Amino acid sequence: MAQKFWLMKSEPDVFSYDDLLKAPSKTTCWEGVRNYQARNLMRDDFQIGDGVLFYHSNSDDAGIYGTATVVKTAYPDHFAFDKKSDYFDEDAFKKQTNPWVMVDIKAQSAFRQAVTRARLQAESRLADMMVLKKGSRLSVQPVSEDHFRIIAQLGGL
DNA sequence: GCCAACGTTGGC
DNA sequence: GCCAACGTTGGC
């Protein structure tokens, strides 16, 4: 299957691209997705080798900081059953059925310069990107190959 | 800090 | 099944 491309949002105060670079093997599990649309993308469409744009949301410095690659396809997000986790899902725990999954991603290339949200907005070729649409809250979004390449270029890769 | 947009919940 | 109320996201 052809390589696909994604944008994944993270609040840098919680987990930044820098944190990913510092993680063992520059790899992390992407726990805590609690939205069915985003889950379905990870569960059904993520393939090993897919490209990821790492986006910092809810920040004064919102934007894309680097790329990553999918190194493990969807598997159960056990944090949903972990009472000590911020991502504990009481409802799912009571039913003893866990609907949530996560994937593993590995840092690929840090951008030489971050591609800020303002920079994304200024680039007419990116005008129809989902992340730039008003009210776009989906934390895992599909990205076209063209957009991925344009952004990697803007990031200095 | 404000608030618009969105997803979910629950009463009816 | 409708929809108002609510909680959350995230840009500004």
Side-chain angles (χ1 to χ4, degrees):
Chain A
M1 185 169 297
Q3 184 188 22
K4 296 194 181 84
F5 300 90
W6 311 100
L7 178 145
M8 296 173 89
K9 293 183 191 172
S10 184
E11 299 193 15
D13 291 347
V14 179
F15 192 83
S16 67
Y17 190 75
D18 221 39
D19 292 328
L20 180 61
L21 290 173
K22 289 180 194 148
S25 306
K26 300 184 184 179
T27 300
T28 189
C29 58
W30 203 257
E31 79 277 15
V33 171
R34 296 292 177 267
N35 167 284
Y36 286 105
Q37 217 180 324
R39 178 209 63 179
N40 291 348
L41 290 172
M42 291 199 299
R43 186 191 60 188
D44 303 334
D45 295 330
F46 270 54
Q47 298 279 339
I48 288 173
D50 284 357
V52 174
L53 297 170
F54 197 106
Y55 180 86
H56 286 184
S57 66
N58 213 358
S59 156
D60 288 343
D61 304 307
I64 297 168
Y65 283 74
T67 63
T69 182
V70 176
V71 292
K72 185 172 178 179
T73 55
Y75 60 106
D77 179 352
H78 64 268
F79 292 95
F81 280 10
D82 178 353
K83 287 182 176 169
K84 282 176 284 186
S85 167
D86 287 344
Y87 305 117
F88 177 60
D89 181 343
E90 191 166 6
D91 221 44
F93 183 72
K94 277 186 193 153
K95 292 183 196 149
Q96 283 295 303
T97 54
N98 186 356
W100 306 118
V101 300
M102 54 189 177
V103 298
D104 286 359
I105 65 168
K106 178 180 178 126
Q108 192 171 34
S109 307
F111 284 172
R112 297 182 59 206
Q113 64 270 351
V115 180
T116 63
R117 187 172 176 84
R119 185 71 188 87
L120 293 169
Q121 286 167 329
E123 176 56 62
S124 61
R125 290 175 295 171
L126 303 175
D128 58 349
M129 273 192 87
M130 188 183 292
V131 75
L132 299 180
K133 301 265 196 285
K134 196 176 177 187
S136 170
R137 288 170 33 174
L138 197 61
S139 64
V140 175
Q141 306 183 353
V143 172
S144 74
E145 181 165 2
D146 277 354
H147 288 170
F148 187 94
R149 295 199 190 294
I150 290 165
I151 291 164
Q153 214 158 43
L154 292 175
L157 301 187

